[in-house]
Amino acid sequence: MPKRHPATPDDWSVAYTRAVAGNIRAHRERRRMSVQALADRCTALGYPLERTNLNKLESGGRASMSVAELLVLARALDTPPMLLLVPLHDEPVEILPGVEAPAAEAAAWLDGTAPAPDADDAEAGEERRDALRLLRDHHRAVEEWTSRSRAARTAGTRAADAQDPNQREWQEAAHQHADQARHAADRLGFLRDGMRLRGVPLPELPPGLIHLDDTPA
């Protein structure tokens, strides 16, 4: 449960900016990047950030930062933006003014898994969270289909080698992987139907799955 305490918007904004800046510094140091290297990386990504500006941010000398800066810095650090907002540790996070919650609860709100830590209605925003769940499940199903299809092809190649002493085992493995790939494809078809019903934009499919969007004659 979140811990509520008095807070002014300005105080919270500055404190949270400094917390995010500390997370940026921690991720940079973990990657053994200098401030200049991080600035150069941001510039290469199309959003120039001066080393002095980053130094000021990391040292707590700035009271705010833009969403654009956050996104570019996350990309430059090869880290999900959410982990710059909420590091996964045991310390509570003041995720909203006066609302202190465990990092896991704050992260679950940010990624759409759960309502806001201070929400009185657990079902508030459920429709939009459901849309995000569909997108996450779709991504996992595509990964599963891709992995299983690749494994089926590899096993099939080995099974076709009459000289392989494990030919029979490879044939069985190819069959199992192919069956699991079909299950993943069926799951994707179901998910895409649900996304259409909810008006969720459909992600692009790999070439081998385009048939899932074929309209019956």
Side-chain angles (χ1 to χ4, degrees):
M1 294 294 294
K3 177 182 177 182
R4 298 174 182 271
H5 55 83
T8 65
D10 288 344
D11 289 345
W12 171 77
S13 177
V14 172
Y16 194 64
T17 296
R18 288 174 178 166
V20 172
N23 299 336
I24 291 169
R25 182 178 63 251
H27 280 275
R28 177 181 61 77
E29 292 175 346
R30 189 174 296 116
R31 290 179 55 81
R32 298 184 179 179
M33 291 178 71
S34 67
V35 175
Q36 184 62 60
L38 180 55
D40 292 343
R41 176 69 173 142
C42 290
T43 298
L45 289 169
Y47 194 90
L49 283 174
E50 297 293 334
R51 178 180 59 81
T52 53
N53 200 6
L54 285 176
N55 265 328
K56 188 176 180 181
L57 177 66
E58 288 192 4
S59 64
R62 285 178 53 186
S64 65
M65 65 182 297
S66 70
V67 174
E69 287 176 312
L70 176 74
L71 294 176
V72 172
L73 284 165
R75 179 65 187 90
L77 292 166
D78 289 320
T79 238
M82 189 188 73
L83 291 184
L84 297 183
L85 294 170
V86 180
L88 299 182
H89 53 45
D90 294 332
E91 296 295 321
V93 177
E94 188 178 356
I95 193 63
L96 290 166
V99 179
E100 195 173 77
E105 290 184 20
W109 173 50
L110 290 177
D111 74 4
T113 303
D118 64 335
D120 294 325
D121 181 1
E123 295 185 3
E126 179 64 25
E127 182 180 349
R128 291 296 85 195
R129 289 197 300 277
D130 188 48
L132 287 175
R133 279 193 288 269
L134 284 169
L135 286 170
R136 281 194 295 267
D137 290 347
H138 188 283
H139 178 71
R140 294 190 190 102
V142 169
E143 286 189 330
E144 175 72 7
W145 177 85
T146 301
S147 173
R148 294 300 183 179
S149 296
R150 185 184 300 118
R153 289 193 298 271
T154 299
T157 298
R158 299 293 298 270
D161 183 359
Q163 303 303 314
D164 193 311
N166 299 314
Q167 186 182 30
R168 189 168 182 177
E169 287 79 1
W170 284 117
Q171 289 173 343
E172 179 61 26
H175 173 76
Q176 290 180 356
H177 286 303
D179 191 49
Q180 289 167 333
R182 283 191 293 271
H183 283 305
D186 289 343
R187 173 69 173 156
L188 275 167
F190 173 79
L191 289 169
R192 290 175 82 80
D193 286 343
M195 293 166 83
R196 289 188 189 93
L197 287 172
R198 292 165 176 79
V200 179
L202 296 175
E204 186 175 349
L205 287 169
L209 289 173
I210 292 176
H211 67 278
L212 292 178
D213 288 339
D214 289 346
T215 303

